[in-house]
Amino acid sequence: MVTTISTVVLELSESSLYNEQTVFDLISHDTALNLSHFGIAGFDSNFSSHIHVLPPGLMNSDFPSFLYRRSDSPVLHLAGERHQYRETVFRGAWRELCTEWANRGNDWSLKLSSTSRESLSTLFLDVYYAKIIASIRLLGMKAAKQEKININELRFFAITLFRLFAVFQFKSDRRHHSQALQVFRKGFQAVSSYTSRLRSVYIAEGISDNTEWRQLLTVNMEIGIGLMIAEKEENILKYSKQIESTIDELLDIWEDSPTSKGSVMGLLYTNKGLLNMYLNHNFDSLEYFLKAFTIYKALSISYGNQVLVNIQELLGVVYAKLEQYNDAIMHFEKSIQLSMWWYGGKEHHSMAVLYLNYATALIKGERKEKGLIMLQRSLELFEGSGYPESHSSYSVARLYYSEVSSEI
């Protein structure tokens, strides 16, 4: 049955807002789903009675493994990783396995240290840090010659920067965090310089409706926003004008575009809201988040889609910054509800920061008892995820719990 559904949806995907994974999410969560909404006829709508959502890590990895692999997980799936990383991981695992089997015999209960999260994250740094540095050098050479780089490689460069920083955050010493920031800054500077140097090339081709140029600006924006989130507060102003200029250029391009643009505009408004939030322009931030929220709802994106989870949480954060705690609590509760739906009715360790934000709004809104319970839940999720105690949000949650519990 699942194969049949996937086949039908794949045939529809080119003319639909939904891909096969989104439709499967809808089917697995909604017993009253009317599939005629997707142009699929002849199926029993009660699909969820035939579906059981397995916990993360049972038959697949809790992605990405270098951040979230648990010690009791029987499976390692290196989804989306490059060949060089896969080869390094598997070579180390087989070497350890063969050595241990030679010493202990055919022991299937053996747990490999080479596939622990700590080992995977260290290997990730070894492989991808070198690739990032090489990419920064390549961008410099291409910019000097005004030669284009493959846009997919550029997008992979941006994604790897984010993942690299996430791994560094799990390392406990300050040296790793400083190293991550340094790489992020160099990456942003390299992409910005490349974009500036290539602008004249794209202008000659017709910049207004050039897909590659849009993608290049989008990579600039994403890396810039990521850097603002990672940076120390006193350094944010260094990049804010440049990031804002990039977002505004993208808004101008997409507003004039005759093609479908709803979800893209939602993303741009979200990033404009984030920019203003980190600059403490909270009313402006709220305005852009509300615009993004309106767009996502109007598009009828599936009821558990992660963008709705995120925008609800962001609205909660900015309402809390404006000391409008009832509104903040409402949006945090909605984000938690959507997250629970998204994870099959179960809490997920990625919700730890969401619970921390929710607890903070409750406490500042004079609902300390419930806030303390939510703080405890946040700490349990942090602990269950294996976050290091040095992680900034985990540290805040522990200190805040100690402070509030002593007052009640």
Side-chain angles (χ1 to χ4, degrees), residues 208-328:
S208 61
D209 200 32
N210 190 306
T211 301
E212 275 193 16
W213 179 249
R214 292 178 187 175
Q215 291 177 324
L216 181 53
L217 289 176
T218 301
V219 170
N220 269 267
M221 174 185 69
E222 290 170 347
I223 294 177
I225 291 291
L227 180 57
M228 287 192 70
I229 294 170
E231 264 290 7
K232 298 175 181 177
E233 186 174 349
E234 60 267 25
N235 292 334
I236 287 175
L237 283 173
K238 289 182 183 179
Y239 316 106
S240 60
K241 291 295 183 185
Q242 186 176 343
I243 297 167
E244 184 173 29
S245 175
T246 302
I247 296 173
D248 287 342
E249 182 173 354
L250 279 165
L251 282 168
D252 288 341
I253 289 172
W254 280 102
E255 283 171 349
D256 294 336
S257 173
T259 58
S260 176
K261 59 191 178 187
S263 59
V264 175
M265 294 298 288
L267 172 66
L268 296 176
Y269 286 138
T270 299
N271 281 321
K272 187 95 176 193
L274 280 168
L275 175 68
N276 280 283
M277 187 174 76
Y278 281 96
L279 292 171
N280 290 316
H281 301 162
N282 295 317
F283 286 105
D284 292 334
S285 177
L286 178 60
E287 177 187 349
Y288 286 110
F289 285 152
L290 288 171
K291 283 183 177 181
F293 181 61
T294 301
I295 286 172
Y296 289 137
K297 289 199 72 174
L299 284 173
S300 300
I301 292 178
S302 64
Y303 176 72
N305 198 292
Q306 201 65 34
V307 292
L308 288 178
V309 174
N310 293 340
I311 200 66
Q312 290 278 11
E313 183 176 6
L314 288 171
L315 282 166
V317 169
V318 77
Y319 273 122
K321 286 167 72 75
L322 291 167
E323 300 183 358
Q324 299 179 28
Y325 297 116
N326 287 335
D327 288 324

Side-chain angles (χ1 to χ4, degrees), residues 65-68 85 113-127 129 162-181 385-395:
S65 298
F66 55 80
L67 291 184
Y68 299 128
Y85 180 61
S113 62
S114 59
T115 60
S116 68
R117 189 185 66 190
E118 291 73 20
S119 293
L120 291 171
S121 64
T122 298
L123 286 174
F124 185 90
L125 293 180
D126 291 344
V127 171
Y129 182 79
F162 286 111
R163 298 170 85 201
L164 198 66
F165 188 80
V167 174
F168 275 121
Q169 282 189 309
F170 271 76
K171 300 296 183 182
S172 58
D173 58 278
R174 292 182 180 274
R175 179 181 63 83
H176 278 118
H177 193 270
S178 176
Q179 190 178 10
L181 262 180
S385 72
Y387 276 75
E389 292 191 355
S390 59
H391 188 279
S392 57
S393 296
Y394 192 3
S395 298

Side-chain angles (χ1 to χ4, degrees), residues 181-197:
L181 262 180
Q182 186 179 18
V183 169
F184 222 133
R185 290 168 185 156
K186 286 182 177 179
F188 178 67
Q189 290 163 1
V191 171
S192 298
S193 175
Y194 172 81
T195 305
S196 177
R197 294 280 295 173

